[in-house]
Every structure is written in C-alpha cells, then in structure tokens.
Amino acid sequence: MKTKMSTLSKFYVALIMFFLYAPIVVMIIFSFNESASTGVMTGFSLKWYQSLFNDGATMKALSNTLILAVSSSLVATVMGTAAAVGISVFRNK
C-alpha cells in the first residue's frame, strides 16, 4: 500500500507542476510569434523583443527594477547578517 501511495503522490505532484508551468512554456513559445495574434502561429520572429528593447519607457522601467532589486537585496543581506550576529552574541551570554 505504501508503494501505491508513493506513486500516486508523485503523480499528483507531477500533475500540479504541469499545470503550473505549462502556461509559462506556452507564453514563451508564443512570445516568438511573428503575428500580433496569439491564436495563430505564423512564424518565428524576434521583432517583438526588438520593439521591446527599443522602447525608452521599457528600458527606464528595467533600469529602475534592477536598481531596486540590487539595493533591496543588499539591505536584506546587511539586516540578516546583523540579526544573525546579534542572536549569536545574546545566545552565548
């Protein structure tokens, strides 16, 4: 019975992962579609990515996102290290 339950739970996890990641894979595939419609795949093209990276507002948003990501990760690292050192010091007393 344990083997059957283990196989069933593995199948259940695989099914959940499929339903989580399948839409992402479909969006990646259709992002290379030449047509503006997502209903019909007319050809493989990078024109949408070219227009995305040529847009000034998009590049400014990307720059802001990267600045925010780096600064927040640095602040979180400093705060986490300070908390770990503080806990270590108070635990040893």
Side-chain angles (χ1 to χ4, degrees):
M1 184 68 178
K2 187 174 182 178
T3 306
K4 188 175 185 181
M5 215 40 182
S6 176
T7 304
L8 185 62
S9 65
K10 287 180 183 177
F11 174 74
Y12 184 65
V13 169
L15 192 64
I16 289 172
M17 291 299 163
F18 173 76
F19 281 116
L20 283 174
Y21 290 113
I24 296 171
V25 171
V26 169
M27 288 300 294
I28 290 170
I29 291 169
F30 275 103
S31 74
F32 295 104
N33 189 5
E34 188 175 19
S35 173
S37 171
T38 58
V40 179
M41 188 77 165
T42 58
F44 186 82
S45 174
L46 295 173
K47 78 175 187 177
W48 298 114
Y49 287 102
Q50 182 181 8
S51 66
L52 178 73
F53 288 118
N54 286 334
D55 185 24
T58 302
M59 294 311 291
K60 180 67 177 168
L62 178 63
S63 170
N64 290 340
T65 301
L66 291 175
I67 290 169
L68 181 64
V70 169
S71 61
S72 64
S73 65
L74 289 174
V75 169
T77 301
V78 169
M79 288 176 64
T81 303
V85 169
I87 290 170
S88 176
V89 166
F90 285 121
R91 185 177 287 170
N92 292 336
K93 285 187 176 185

